[in-house]
Amino acid sequence: MAKDRMRFETSVIHEGYDSKDMLGSLTPPIFQTSTYTFDSAEQGERRFAGEEDGYVYSRLKNPTVVALEERIAALENGERGLAFGSGMAAISAVLVALTKANDHILCSVGLYGCTFGLLQMMEEKYNITHDLSEMESEEAVRAAIKPETTCIYIETPINPTMKLIDLEMVSAIAKEKNIPVVVDNTFSSPYLQHPLELGCDVVVHSATKYIGGHGDVVAGLAVGTHEFLDEVASTTQKDIGGIIGPFDAWLLLRGLKTLPIRMDRHCDNAQHVFEKLRHHPLVKHVYFPNDEDHPDYSIFKKQMDQAGGMISFEIAGTKKDAQQFLNHLKFIKLAVSLGDAETLIQHPVSMTHAVVPEEDRAKMGITDELIRLSVGLEAWEDVWEDIAQALDKIS
Ligand SMILES: *Cc1c(COP(=O)(O)O)cnc(C)c1O
């Protein structure tokens, strides 16, 4: 199936699963089993030796999970996918596989809070250092790469300030120096941005967000070459063990079927809410990629199909005003996470990015008044009316 590629909207429904293999079951069965029986001692020996394909134990391989892994590989246009119990399990398995003691990781200037925490831990334990870079030009990227850099790790759009990094530019430089580029594609989902097609080497996702899409599962995914992901599968995934359960894999297979139509709606809703926010007198600054005044607008046009459903904005006021605004919302839910049907809103400085030291937060542009909004699938007019009435209530 993967050979002559189907269109994205078809792949999300069909890739990685053939009902003929499963007694005609239209949807993939949930293989709720920990282990698999061998027909004979000799077969068990062959399976363990890797001489015979087949299932041994569900931490190594599970048919429901395999369907998901093949589907995400097709959607990201990579050779192999791997599924994990969380986005952080995927990110840590990839970063640990790419580094050894005393190496250096070059990162984008904004990072998911727990990714930042992981990098700090790797530095404390193994002296694997990291630098945050704006990666705003070729010169800046070249200058930031050190002899001991073994990995470049990028989030774009950057959480929560929506800065963008030119993936084609960075990956061309990295290729010259043989340094793998890893991209956290969570904010865009595989529908809006295709890092592997731009020359990057590995894509990671928190599938908890747009891929699951319904706020009911925590999971992660990674996609890349057979060579690299075989290594991850047989080392950091197998032996650290952050695998996904079969039911969660099934929920993601189900969520993926509607990814394109959900994303179209998220994007459309967010565009409307952005237009309203940017003209509101109590809103200082709005961060959204599809904004002609956005400093990275040209990267947006080149690299993303649409701007996504995430908006950040600064309230013209203090931290107290920002918190007051949040407390006055009616149906919009005050919660971290993103990409759900429900519009979610949070306060990065006191929530998702509270672990990031103040100095780094300042570099990332995370101020006390910054609010992050994940625009859901509701009628955008209702979302806007809720925001507008809560803004009216701050003094
Ligand atoms: C949520 C998130 C993660 C972590 O994923 P989990 O599924 O919560 O472990 C990583 N990166 C980004 C950009 C995220 O939004």
Side-chain angles (χ1 to χ4, degrees), residues 87-126:
M88 287 317 303
I91 292 165
S92 57
V94 166
L95 285 180
V96 172
L98 286 173
T99 50
K100 57 182 184 346
N102 306 315
D103 283 349
H104 173 256
I105 304 175
L106 178 63
C107 303
S108 54
V109 73
L111 289 174
Y112 181 72
C114 296
T115 304
F116 194 84
L118 171 71
L119 290 168
Q120 280 185 317
M121 182 175 72
M122 288 167 78
E123 178 154 2
E124 279 158 25
K125 283 183 179 282
Y126 311 114

Side-chain angles (χ1 to χ4, degrees), residues 254-299:
R254 176 161 119 151
L256 273 171
K257 291 183 187 182
T258 55
L259 179 72
I261 48 179
R262 284 187 288 108
M263 288 312 290
D264 284 343
R265 177 66 172 258
H266 281 298
C267 293
D268 189 51
N269 279 358
Q271 190 71 43
H272 283 291
V273 172
F274 162 69
E275 299 295 345
K276 291 287 188 187
L277 275 171
R278 74 195 302 200
H279 293 118
H280 196 286
L282 282 179
V283 174
K284 245 194 327 204
H285 200 123
V286 190
Y287 299 95
F288 187 64
N290 189 16
D291 172 1
E292 281 170 35
D293 301 329
H294 189 301
D296 301 325
Y297 184 68
S298 62
I299 304 176

Side-chain angles (χ1 to χ4, degrees), residues 1 4-17 70-72 74-75 256-257:
M1 252 188 195
D4 53 317
R5 279 180 74 198
M6 295 180 281
R7 287 166 185 81
F8 192 92
E9 293 78 356
T10 313
S11 297
V12 291
I13 297 170
H14 292 285
E15 276 288 356
Y17 179 68
E70 290 186 6
R71 187 163 300 174
I72 191 65
L75 298 180
L256 273 171
K257 291 183 187 182

Side-chain angles (χ1 to χ4, degrees), residues 86-88 91 112 115 155 184 186-187 206 208-209 218-219 338:
S86 69
M88 287 317 303
I91 292 165
Y112 181 72
T115 304
E155 267 183 43
D184 181 335
T186 302
F187 269 39
S206 170
T208 312
K209 317 295 167 55
V218 174
L338 58 108

